[in-house]
Amino acid sequence: MFDIQYYKEKYPEEGNIVLTRIIDINDYCVKGNLIEYNNIDVMLQFNQVSKRRVKSIKQVFKLNQTYPLEVLSVEIKGEHVYIDLSNKTLSDEQKSK
């Protein structure tokens, strides 16, 4: 896997739309890597998956696929960075880009 940094900033800002590769899906969240930010690990909680009711996250996301997601928060605590994402805040037009 290549480490690529597309932007000067080390981390995205709240409200940014980022390309995320899905690396793990469980019953409570989706974990991924930010492709444009040197593959930083991120998380998408179940309640941010969709505006509509879904029984399983796997109805919306597939492993190793890339999706545009919105950055909800970026929290830096010492050496750790916590980035929360949302799919439900994006419009259908933003999702298709």
Side-chain angles (χ1 to χ4, degrees):
M1 179 97 36
F2 295 104
D3 290 336
I4 299 173
Q5 181 79 27
Y6 288 90
Y7 301 105
K8 290 180 183 179
E9 298 84 19
K10 192 171 183 178
Y11 306 113
E13 296 178 4
E14 291 179 24
N16 285 4
I17 297 174
V18 293
L19 288 177
T20 308
R21 180 179 298 113
I22 305 304
I23 59 171
D24 184 37
I25 300 173
N26 61 44
D27 294 337
Y28 308 104
C29 69
V30 175
K31 294 179 183 176
N33 296 121
L34 295 184
I35 296 171
E36 304 156 307
Y37 288 92
N38 211 15
N39 293 313
I40 296 172
D41 292 333
V42 293
M43 185 176 75
L44 174 77
Q45 294 180 352
F46 185 79
N47 65 343
Q48 294 298 324
V49 168
S50 178
K51 292 177 187 175
R52 292 178 256 150
R53 184 175 176 186
V54 293
K55 291 183 181 181
S56 170
I57 295 174
K58 292 179 182 179
Q59 291 176 303
V60 180
F61 294 104
K62 305 289 182 218
L63 277 178
N64 299 316
Q65 295 295 312
T66 301
Y67 299 90
L69 300 172
E70 184 174 359
V71 177
L72 288 181
S73 66
V74 178
E75 204 171 316
I76 302 170
K77 292 186 177 182
E79 295 179 13
H80 299 286
V81 178
Y82 302 98
I83 300 175
D84 290 323
L85 303 174
S86 177
N87 186 50
K88 76 179 192 179
T89 59
L90 295 179
S91 67
D92 290 336
E93 181 181 319
Q94 290 171 315
K95 291 177 188 178
S96 66
K97 287 185 178 180

